[in-house]
């Protein structure tokens, strides 16, 4: 398998993903600011998001408040887009092949384990010890948005490395949510969801694809998982993983070309529709769905989620409580210190042992900058906060820690890029810095 540096450019899909995610970062940050202002003005922030909304299907009702409809309903589409991206990258992209994924995967594992340990160093045995999942996840959208501000000091190779890292990071976060933040499982409802998932797998292997059919099964799966007690985020990822991703096949391309030629010879509405259908079918369902869902996920759902969850009252009482809270400091230390240490350590281990590789043009200064920025945790961190904590004071302390840690991680990462982004030596296979060759100069 060729490396990114050998190919010389990013894939079209990867570029589209980077553009969408980095563009949505500004909306996400804006939503966080609006949520903070709304929560600190007498405009009924909590009252609004606790407004009940009931959907009744012939006596079978789903009753949740607006915040839970966003967190447990709309966010499934966000996790669906994550599942689509994982499936595509494992089939066609940067997660294909063991050595290609080993380095970012090791970095992601380090970035999951070390922050949790740092958090527990502050909170082990305390009332918030089970909230360690808040400090482990990276917010891909804001990370890529900050990388866009870094500019030429962040090469495309590092963006793709961090994208692969973020995907593995998302997998770890979803697994943590499913295993550690689920209570009172209804086995029968969960078995129904598993049977439906197996049915979708069967449809995939017989190459049957009809979007309305998959959507209907997905909705029933969501209801079943919601009733089971397992968080429905796993439904989104599972559905995304079963959607086929492949490069355009020769026979499909040939058919699209032939139908297009018949339209050029006789441009009737019927042949126009046939040509359009042939071109669409040449692209895999995975990429077609990403094109449709990812903008909604990035520009609407995630900002709406942040708007519904980032609001925290910044009164003197809450700030004093947060300043002395091991929960707040555990989150800040986990994001600002634990995350970059874990990412850098995981990368070093992968390179030192030879199980992984990174693009030859990357320097350690750039990787350290990317590792520092990986401490930006917002979306999934807020998500876990709502699952792990019930006490309103602890929720406020956690949100203050998330916002403070994410801001500090962004500042530290930006400073590392400014001061050492083009220094630090290349990333050698030994895992040790290798200084770049001195420029050639003519002898006088």
């Amino acid at each position: 398998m060729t490396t990114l540096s050998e190919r010389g450019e990013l894939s079209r899909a990867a570029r589209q993903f980077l553009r969408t995610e980095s563009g949505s970062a500004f909306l996400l940050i804006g939503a966080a600011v609006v949520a903070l202002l709304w929560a600190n003005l007498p405009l009924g922030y909590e009252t609004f998001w606790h407004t009940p909304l009931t959907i009744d299907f012939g006596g079978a009702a789903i009753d949740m408040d607006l915040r839970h409809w966003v967190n447990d309903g709309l966010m499934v589409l966000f996790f669906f887009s994550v599942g689509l991206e994982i499936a595509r990258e494992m089939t066609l992209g940067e997660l294909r092949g063991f050595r290609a994924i080993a380095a970012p995967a090791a970095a992601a594992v380090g970035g999951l384990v070390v922050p949790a340990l740092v958090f527990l160093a502050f909170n082990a045995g305390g009332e918030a010890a089970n909230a360690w999942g808040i400090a482990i996840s990276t917010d891909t959208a804001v990370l890529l948005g900050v990388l866009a501000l870094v500019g030429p000091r962040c090469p495309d190779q590092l963006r793709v490395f961090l994208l692969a890292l973020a995907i593995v990071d998302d997998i770890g976060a979803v697994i943590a949510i499913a295993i550690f933040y689920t209570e009172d499982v209804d086995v029968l409802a969960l078995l129904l969801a598993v049977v439906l998932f197996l049915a979708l797998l069967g449809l995939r292997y017989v190459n049957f694809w009809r979007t309305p059919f998959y959507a209907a099964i997905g909705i029933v799966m969501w209801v079943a998982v919601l009733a089971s007690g397992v968080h429905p985020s796993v439904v989104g990822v599972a559905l995304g993983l079963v959607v086929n991703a492949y490069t355009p096949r020769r026979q499909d391309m040939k058919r699209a070309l032939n139908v297009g030629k018949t339209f050029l010879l006789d441009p009737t509405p019927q042949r126009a529709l046939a040509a359009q259908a042939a071109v669409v079918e040449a692209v895999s369902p995975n990429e077609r769905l990403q094109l449709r869902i990812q903008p909604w996920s990035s520009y609407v759902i995630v900002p709406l989620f942040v708007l519904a969850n980032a609001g925290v009252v910044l009164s003197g009482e809450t700030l004093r409580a947060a300043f002395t809270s091991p929960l707040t400091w555990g989150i800040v230390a986990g994001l600002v210190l634990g995350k970059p240490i874990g990412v850098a350590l995981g990368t070093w281990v992968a390179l030192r042992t030879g199980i992984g590789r990174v693009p030859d043009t990357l320097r350690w200064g750039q990787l350290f900058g990317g590792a520092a920025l990986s401490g930006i945790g917002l979306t999934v961190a807020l998500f876990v906060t709502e699952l792990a904590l019930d006490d309103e004071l602890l929720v406020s302390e956690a949100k203050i820690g998330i916002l403070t840690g994410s801001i500090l991680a962004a500042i530290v990462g930006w400073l590392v890029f400014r001061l050492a982004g083009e220094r630090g030596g290349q990333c050698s296979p030994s895992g040790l810095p290798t200084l770049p060759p001195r420029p050639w100069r003519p002898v006088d």
Side-chain angles (χ1 to χ4, degrees), residues 3-219:
T3 64
L4 179 67
S5 59
E6 290 168 341
R7 288 198 299 270
E9 61 179 9
L10 296 175
S11 68
R12 175 185 56 80
R15 287 190 181 278
Q16 177 64 31
F17 180 88
L18 291 170
R19 282 197 300 270
T20 304
E21 289 296 303
S22 59
S24 73
F26 297 99
L27 278 177
L28 196 154
I29 294 171
V33 173
V34 171
L36 287 172
L37 292 174
W38 187 358
N40 287 275
L41 293 173
L43 299 176
Y45 176 82
E46 288 296 332
T47 301
F48 175 81
W49 291 111
H50 282 102
T51 302
L53 175 63
T54 302
I55 296 180
D56 194 327
F57 297 94
I62 302 176
D63 185 12
M64 297 188 291
D65 62 25
L66 293 180
R67 178 173 288 153
H68 280 90
W69 276 109
V70 172
N71 295 357
D72 298 347
L74 291 180
M75 281 297 285
V76 173
L77 289 177
F78 163 75
F79 285 105
F80 178 57
S81 67
V82 171
L84 289 173
E85 183 64 21
I86 293 170
R88 192 195 68 79
E89 290 294 325
M90 291 181 67
T91 306
L92 305 173
E94 297 305 316
L95 304 189
R96 181 180 57 181
F98 178 77
R99 291 199 68 205
I101 185 55
V109 171
L112 292 168
V113 174
V114 176
L117 295 176
V118 171
F119 176 88
L120 289 174
F122 286 80
N123 292 276
E127 57 182 337
N130 69 319
W132 53 267
I134 297 173
I136 67 174
S137 188
T138 297
D139 194 301
T140 310
V142 182
L143 168 65
L144 295 176
V146 176
L147 286 177
L149 299 178
V150 171
R153 288 181 175 83
C154 175
D156 283 341
Q157 292 87 347
L158 179 61
R159 286 184 172 89
V160 175
F161 177 86
L162 292 176
L163 175 58
L165 183 155
I167 290 171
V168 179
D169 185 277
D170 286 339
I171 295 172
V174 170
I175 292 173
I177 290 170
I179 296 176
F180 298 103
Y181 297 104
T182 294
E183 301 176 357
D184 302 325
V185 176
D186 185 327
V187 177
L188 289 178
L190 189 59
L191 283 176
L192 174 60
V194 172
V195 170
L196 291 172
F197 178 71
L198 293 175
L200 289 178
L201 281 178
L203 293 175
R204 169 179 174 168
Y205 284 107
V206 298
N207 292 322
F208 175 85
W209 177 261
R210 295 293 183 272
T211 301
F213 192 79
Y214 273 71
I217 293 180
I219 292 172

Side-chain angles (χ1 to χ4, degrees), residues 256 259-260 262-264 266-280:
V259 176
T262 61
F263 170 74
L264 292 176
D266 185 13
T268 63
Q270 293 79 6
R271 291 186 175 181
L273 291 174
Q276 182 182 18
V279 171
V280 169

